[in-house]
mmCIF file of all heavy atoms in Angstrom:
data_model
loop_
_atom_site.group_PDB
_atom_site.id
_atom_site.type_symbol
_atom_site.label_atom_id
_atom_site.label_comp_id
_atom_site.label_asym_id
_atom_site.label_seq_id
_atom_site.Cartn_x
_atom_site.Cartn_y
_atom_site.Cartn_z
ATOM 1 N N HIS A 37 128.833 114.354 88.410
ATOM 2 C CA HIS A 37 129.386 115.689 88.603
ATOM 3 C C HIS A 37 129.057 116.110 90.038
ATOM 4 O O HIS A 37 128.208 115.500 90.695
ATOM 5 C CB HIS A 37 128.753 116.686 87.635
ATOM 6 C CG HIS A 37 129.008 116.390 86.197
ATOM 7 N ND1 HIS A 37 129.778 117.198 85.391
ATOM 8 C CD2 HIS A 37 128.592 115.363 85.400
ATOM 9 C CE1 HIS A 37 129.815 116.698 84.162
ATOM 10 N NE2 HIS A 37 129.108 115.574 84.153
ATOM 11 N N ARG A 38 129.695 117.142 90.495
ATOM 12 C CA ARG A 38 129.352 117.684 91.806
ATOM 13 C C ARG A 38 129.489 119.201 91.797
ATOM 14 O O ARG A 38 130.253 119.768 91.008
ATOM 15 C CB ARG A 38 130.231 117.089 92.910
ATOM 16 C CG ARG A 38 131.711 117.431 92.803
ATOM 17 C CD ARG A 38 132.513 116.643 93.825
ATOM 18 N NE ARG A 38 133.947 116.918 93.718
ATOM 19 C CZ ARG A 38 134.885 116.204 94.337
ATOM 20 N NH1 ARG A 38 134.541 115.179 95.110
ATOM 21 N NH2 ARG A 38 136.150 116.527 94.200
ATOM 22 N N GLN A 39 128.734 119.818 92.688
ATOM 23 C CA GLN A 39 128.766 121.273 92.794
ATOM 24 C C GLN A 39 128.692 121.667 94.259
ATOM 25 O O GLN A 39 127.687 121.398 94.932
ATOM 26 C CB GLN A 39 127.614 121.908 92.015
ATOM 27 C CG GLN A 39 127.696 123.421 91.952
ATOM 28 C CD GLN A 39 126.729 124.008 90.945
ATOM 29 O OE1 GLN A 39 125.766 123.354 90.531
ATOM 30 N NE2 GLN A 39 126.985 125.241 90.521
ATOM 31 N N ALA A 40 129.752 122.286 94.726
ATOM 32 C CA ALA A 40 129.788 122.796 96.090
ATOM 33 C C ALA A 40 129.220 124.214 96.108
ATOM 34 O O ALA A 40 129.222 124.897 95.077
ATOM 35 C CB ALA A 40 131.219 122.792 96.606
ATOM 36 N N PRO A 41 128.742 124.667 97.251
ATOM 37 C CA PRO A 41 128.180 126.022 97.327
ATOM 38 C C PRO A 41 129.178 127.076 96.852
ATOM 39 O O PRO A 41 130.326 127.097 97.296
ATOM 40 C CB PRO A 41 127.875 126.183 98.817
ATOM 41 C CG PRO A 41 127.677 124.797 99.314
ATOM 42 C CD PRO A 41 128.631 123.947 98.530
ATOM 43 N N GLY A 42 128.745 127.914 95.940
ATOM 44 C CA GLY A 42 129.593 128.987 95.440
ATOM 45 C C GLY A 42 130.577 128.575 94.369
ATOM 46 O O GLY A 42 131.310 129.420 93.845
ATOM 47 N N ASP A 43 130.605 127.285 94.050
ATOM 48 C CA ASP A 43 131.537 126.790 93.033
ATOM 49 C C ASP A 43 130.806 126.373 91.770
ATOM 50 O O ASP A 43 129.593 126.166 91.781
ATOM 51 C CB ASP A 43 132.324 125.587 93.570
ATOM 52 C CG ASP A 43 133.315 125.968 94.635
ATOM 53 O OD1 ASP A 43 133.587 127.179 94.799
ATOM 54 O OD2 ASP A 43 133.825 125.052 95.312
ATOM 55 N N GLN A 44 131.587 126.224 90.710
ATOM 56 C CA GLN A 44 131.011 125.704 89.474
ATOM 57 C C GLN A 44 130.893 124.184 89.564
ATOM 58 O O GLN A 44 131.598 123.529 90.331
ATOM 59 C CB GLN A 44 131.908 126.077 88.281
ATOM 60 C CG GLN A 44 131.888 127.562 87.944
ATOM 61 C CD GLN A 44 132.620 127.861 86.649
ATOM 62 O OE1 GLN A 44 133.506 127.116 86.233
ATOM 63 N NE2 GLN A 44 132.260 128.949 85.994
ATOM 64 N N ARG A 45 129.984 123.639 88.771
ATOM 65 C CA ARG A 45 129.841 122.193 88.723
ATOM 66 C C ARG A 45 131.088 121.593 88.096
ATOM 67 O O ARG A 45 131.610 122.107 87.095
ATOM 68 C CB ARG A 45 128.602 121.817 87.909
ATOM 69 C CG ARG A 45 128.188 120.366 88.024
ATOM 70 C CD ARG A 45 126.843 120.110 87.369
ATOM 71 N NE ARG A 45 125.770 120.844 88.045
ATOM 72 C CZ ARG A 45 124.479 120.666 87.765
ATOM 73 N NH1 ARG A 45 124.125 119.800 86.837
ATOM 74 N NH2 ARG A 45 123.562 121.371 88.400
ATOM 75 N N GLU A 46 131.579 120.516 88.681
ATOM 76 C CA GLU A 46 132.772 119.875 88.163
ATOM 77 C C GLU A 46 132.527 118.397 87.895
ATOM 78 O O GLU A 46 131.737 117.737 88.581
ATOM 79 C CB GLU A 46 133.949 120.036 89.138
ATOM 80 C CG GLU A 46 133.773 119.344 90.470
ATOM 81 C CD GLU A 46 135.043 119.323 91.303
ATOM 82 O OE1 GLU A 46 136.127 119.642 90.778
ATOM 83 O OE2 GLU A 46 134.942 118.978 92.500
ATOM 84 N N LEU A 47 133.252 117.895 86.907
ATOM 85 C CA LEU A 47 133.141 116.493 86.541
ATOM 86 C C LEU A 47 133.917 115.649 87.540
ATOM 87 O O LEU A 47 135.072 115.947 87.839
ATOM 88 C CB LEU A 47 133.679 116.277 85.135
ATOM 89 C CG LEU A 47 133.681 114.851 84.604
ATOM 90 C CD1 LEU A 47 132.263 114.331 84.464
ATOM 91 C CD2 LEU A 47 134.413 114.795 83.269
ATOM 92 N N VAL A 48 133.289 114.593 88.030
ATOM 93 C CA VAL A 48 133.932 113.699 88.984
ATOM 94 C C VAL A 48 134.421 112.429 88.291
ATOM 95 O O VAL A 48 135.572 112.026 88.452
ATOM 96 C CB VAL A 48 132.967 113.331 90.124
ATOM 97 C CG1 VAL A 48 133.612 112.318 91.063
ATOM 98 C CG2 VAL A 48 132.544 114.585 90.886
ATOM 99 N N ALA A 49 133.534 111.792 87.525
ATOM 100 C CA ALA A 49 133.894 110.528 86.880
ATOM 101 C C ALA A 49 132.944 110.256 85.728
ATOM 102 O O ALA A 49 131.791 110.686 85.754
ATOM 103 C CB ALA A 49 133.838 109.382 87.884
ATOM 104 N N THR A 50 133.460 109.526 84.748
ATOM 105 C CA THR A 50 132.645 109.121 83.604
ATOM 106 C C THR A 50 132.852 107.642 83.322
ATOM 107 O O THR A 50 133.902 107.069 83.657
ATOM 108 C CB THR A 50 132.993 109.921 82.335
ATOM 109 O OG1 THR A 50 134.354 109.635 81.975
ATOM 110 C CG2 THR A 50 132.845 111.412 82.550
ATOM 111 N N ILE A 51 131.858 107.052 82.688
ATOM 112 C CA ILE A 51 131.965 105.654 82.269
ATOM 113 C C ILE A 51 131.214 105.492 80.958
ATOM 114 O O ILE A 51 130.079 105.949 80.817
ATOM 115 C CB ILE A 51 131.436 104.693 83.363
ATOM 116 C CG1 ILE A 51 131.656 103.243 82.960
ATOM 117 C CG2 ILE A 51 129.977 104.978 83.696
ATOM 118 C CD1 ILE A 51 131.448 102.265 84.114
ATOM 119 N N THR A 52 131.876 104.873 79.995
ATOM 120 C CA THR A 52 131.249 104.658 78.698
ATOM 121 C C THR A 52 130.475 103.337 78.705
ATOM 122 O O THR A 52 130.560 102.545 79.652
ATOM 123 C CB THR A 52 132.306 104.616 77.585
ATOM 124 O OG1 THR A 52 133.110 103.430 77.777
ATOM 125 C CG2 THR A 52 133.197 105.838 77.619
ATOM 126 N N ARG A 53 129.757 103.115 77.608
ATOM 127 C CA ARG A 53 129.002 101.872 77.513
ATOM 128 C C ARG A 53 129.939 100.656 77.513
ATOM 129 O O ARG A 53 129.571 99.600 77.998
ATOM 130 C CB ARG A 53 128.130 101.874 76.260
ATOM 131 C CG ARG A 53 127.202 100.675 76.177
ATOM 132 C CD ARG A 53 126.153 100.833 75.123
ATOM 133 N NE ARG A 53 125.258 99.680 75.106
ATOM 134 C CZ ARG A 53 124.224 99.530 75.926
ATOM 135 N NH1 ARG A 53 123.954 100.469 76.814
ATOM 136 N NH2 ARG A 53 123.463 98.455 75.853
ATOM 137 N N SER A 54 131.144 100.857 76.988
ATOM 138 C CA SER A 54 132.126 99.769 76.983
ATOM 139 C C SER A 54 132.932 99.721 78.283
ATOM 140 O O SER A 54 133.949 99.028 78.358
ATOM 141 C CB SER A 54 133.083 99.928 75.793
ATOM 142 O OG SER A 54 133.743 101.180 75.871
ATOM 143 N N VAL A 55 132.483 100.473 79.270
ATOM 144 C CA VAL A 55 133.038 100.447 80.627
ATOM 145 C C VAL A 55 134.438 101.038 80.694
ATOM 146 O O VAL A 55 135.248 100.634 81.540
ATOM 147 C CB VAL A 55 132.982 99.025 81.250
ATOM 148 C CG1 VAL A 55 133.066 99.115 82.776
ATOM 149 C CG2 VAL A 55 131.714 98.296 80.878
ATOM 150 N N THR A 56 134.713 101.987 79.838
ATOM 151 C CA THR A 56 135.934 102.774 79.991
ATOM 152 C C THR A 56 135.644 103.889 80.978
ATOM 153 O O THR A 56 134.649 104.604 80.847
ATOM 154 C CB THR A 56 136.366 103.374 78.652
ATOM 155 O OG1 THR A 56 136.644 102.315 77.734
ATOM 156 C CG2 THR A 56 137.610 104.229 78.821
ATOM 157 N N THR A 57 136.500 104.027 81.962
ATOM 158 C CA THR A 57 136.263 105.015 83.012
ATOM 159 C C THR A 57 137.300 106.127 82.986
ATOM 160 O O THR A 57 138.421 105.948 82.490
ATOM 161 C CB THR A 57 136.279 104.357 84.398
ATOM 162 O OG1 THR A 57 137.551 103.725 84.603
ATOM 163 C CG2 THR A 57 135.179 103.322 84.529
#
Side-chain angles (χ1 to χ4, degrees):
H37 297 247
R38 65 188 178 191
Q39 187 168 18
D43 290 347
Q44 290 188 335
R45 192 171 296 188
E46 65 170 348
L47 178 65
V48 176
T50 63
I51 185 167
T52 67
R53 186 167 182 83
S54 59
V55 201
T56 298
T57 59

